[in-house]
Amino acid sequence: MRVLFMPGPAIGHAFPLVPLGWAFRAAGHEVVFVTAGDALAVARAGLSVLDAVPGRTTSDMQAQFIRDVPRLFEPIGTDPIGEMEERKPYIVSAWDPFVDAHVALGEWVQPDLVVYDPIFAVGPVVSAKLKVPAVAHSLGLARFTPDLLRELPGAVAMRRHGVALPEGIPTVDIAPPSLVEGGPADISMRYVPYNGGGVLPDWLREPVTRPRIAVTFGTLGGPERFAAGIERVLTAASEIDAEFVLAIGESAAPADLPPNVRTTGWVPLNQLLGGCVAAIHHGGDGTTLTCASLGVRQMVLPGAPDELVTGELLRTRGLAHVLDAMDELDVAAVGRLLTDAELGRVAAEVRAEIAALPSPAEVVSRLAAPA
């Protein structure tokens, strides 16, 4: 079987699909990714990749979204989940300038199965044109259903290509049932962290003598986006008996760090978090689910609309301390992160829930089975 993976052209959209791609390869199937921008980094995971939009970066494409569809980046109000639900069809249609190039390469691949990012409409278009099955692969906690492609504006690519949305597209969830928006979908799969590879620094092998807290703010926007948060972490760190690791890139580190703070360049996040008891982060899906799979306590400072949705879902589940304003990040807040017994209980509960879900290999057996 030849399996075509079609994530949106961004690392945060492509990396979650890698473990299922590996599982298909390990089962003897051919796997090809069609994507663009920073998502081409999946090639470093040993997977074949075709570049649909040569010369374009993810940051460049995001700048185009901000220019062409500014409403998607407007501040969200008091109901993040409800307001995001209204925006979802427009989020799908915002990717439309890049759809046709991906579809053309997808048709060239001639797959037997299409696994696609539900925020990016390319998968169902290829599926409908080639009359092969498609599977939506979630990226995190928020739910983007195939039905978003039935009506405009989400259906703009389907209409342009003259095809209808195939019926019965299943969704593979990588968020556990107790955490995902709207409850579990057709197939729940164990989240296997993939954050890229790399040579691990020597200090990761050293014994951890006091609680270690990771601080990371994702791959888009850079450390400038959370400069105030980093400053508040550093202020709190000087009064807390813990080790803080700023995973923001050594070149972006502030000067005069407290002695209990270290910085690091790119380190596979699951390797860093494996030695941490807690993490302070932005609410990105990859960071959130990596923490959850490892039972790491979480403090979240959401900023972007999708992060605010994730923050609300985490708050409802009791899986994170979610801050509504930057000035809530202080010594007391970090102290509660380390000592809140209920937070620790829920983190352990969700970790066990994730571990009990079917592995990617088990999901491949189901998806590759004859109809």
Side-chain angles (χ1 to χ4, degrees):
M1 176 183 282
R2 181 179 298 132
V3 186
L4 171 62
F5 282 74
M6 305 195 81
I11 280 178
H13 290 243
F15 277 8
L17 279 62
V18 166
L20 188 61
W22 281 340
F24 269 108
R25 285 288 293 121
H29 302 288
E30 181 182 351
V31 170
V32 179
F33 273 68
V34 170
T35 188
D38 301 351
L40 298 174
V42 295
R44 296 198 292 270
L47 297 165
S48 299
V49 186
L50 292 170
D51 186 353
V53 194
R56 299 293 298 269
T57 67
T58 299
S59 296
D60 171 36
M61 290 182 242
Q62 185 186 43
Q64 181 174 332
F65 296 159
I66 295 171
R67 183 181 67 248
D68 295 346
V69 200
R71 64 165 294 185
L72 298 183
F73 298 88
E74 293 174 354
I76 248 173
T78 58
D79 179 18
I81 293 176
E83 292 185 43
M84 179 60 80
E85 192 65 29
E86 296 176 1
R87 295 187 188 189
K88 285 177 181 177
Y90 299 93
I91 294 171
V92 171
S93 66
W95 290 95
D96 190 62
F98 310 106
V99 165
D100 292 354
H102 285 75
V103 170
L105 283 180
E107 290 185 275
W108 179 85
V109 171
Q110 290 289 300
D112 302 297
L113 173 68
V114 180
V115 179
Y116 75 98
D117 165 0
I119 303 177
F120 195 31
V122 295
V125 174
V126 174
S127 167
K129 295 185 80 169
L130 298 182
K131 296 181 172 54
V132 298
V135 177
H137 187 301
S138 77
L139 304 179
L141 280 59
R143 168 78 67 226
F144 280 73
T145 69
D147 285 341
L148 290 168
L149 307 184
R150 290 194 185 279
E151 304 294 338
L152 293 174
V156 61
M158 306 294 297
R159 302 281 178 90
R160 186 173 60 256
H161 285 269
V163 294
L165 179 69
E167 297 296 331
I169 295 177
T171 294
V172 173
D173 268 340
I174 58 170
S178 73
L179 192 57
V180 70
E181 179 187 8
D186 309 88
I187 303 170
S188 290
M189 184 175 76
R190 184 187 315 154
Y191 180 74
V192 176
Y194 175 73
N195 318 109
V199 178
L200 303 181
D202 290 342
W203 58 263
L204 270 181
R205 296 186 291 106
E206 297 172 0
V208 180
T209 59
R210 52 183 170 176
R212 177 178 288 165
I213 303 172
V215 182
T216 178
F217 293 118
T219 58
L220 282 177
E224 301 83 8
R225 181 180 163 213
F226 283 92
I230 293 169
E231 188 61 37
R232 295 190 72 86
V233 167
L234 296 179
T235 299
S238 62
E239 301 183 41
I240 294 176
D241 185 22
E243 177 190 352
F244 292 76
V245 180
L246 302 183
I248 60 173
E250 293 173 338
S251 63
D256 301 321
L257 295 175
N260 60 334
V261 177
R262 74 164 75 237
T263 63
T264 182
W266 182 276
V267 174
L269 189 60
N270 56 308
Q271 295 292 335
L272 170 60
L273 290 174
C276 294
V277 299
I280 299 171
H281 64 89
H282 60 305
D285 286 319
T287 306
T288 296
L289 288 174
T290 302
C291 287
S293 69
L294 296 171
V296 174
R297 296 160 175 260
Q298 303 183 58
M299 176 186 289
V300 177
L301 293 83
D306 59 318
E307 296 163 2
L308 290 164
V309 170
T310 296
E312 286 305 302
L313 294 168
L314 289 170
R315 196 197 310 264
T316 298
R317 184 65 178 88
L319 189 58
H321 289 174
V322 181
L323 306 187
D324 296 317
M326 194 68 73
D327 59 9
E328 295 178 15
L329 176 51
D330 56 19
V331 173
V334 177
R336 288 192 297 273
L337 175 66
L338 294 174
T339 59
D340 184 343
E342 179 63 10
L343 182 65
R345 185 194 69 77
V346 174
E349 185 176 271
V350 173
R351 178 183 185 177
E353 180 187 8
I354 292 171
L357 292 173
S359 69
E362 292 172 286
V363 171
V364 164
S365 297
R366 177 172 173 178
L367 295 178

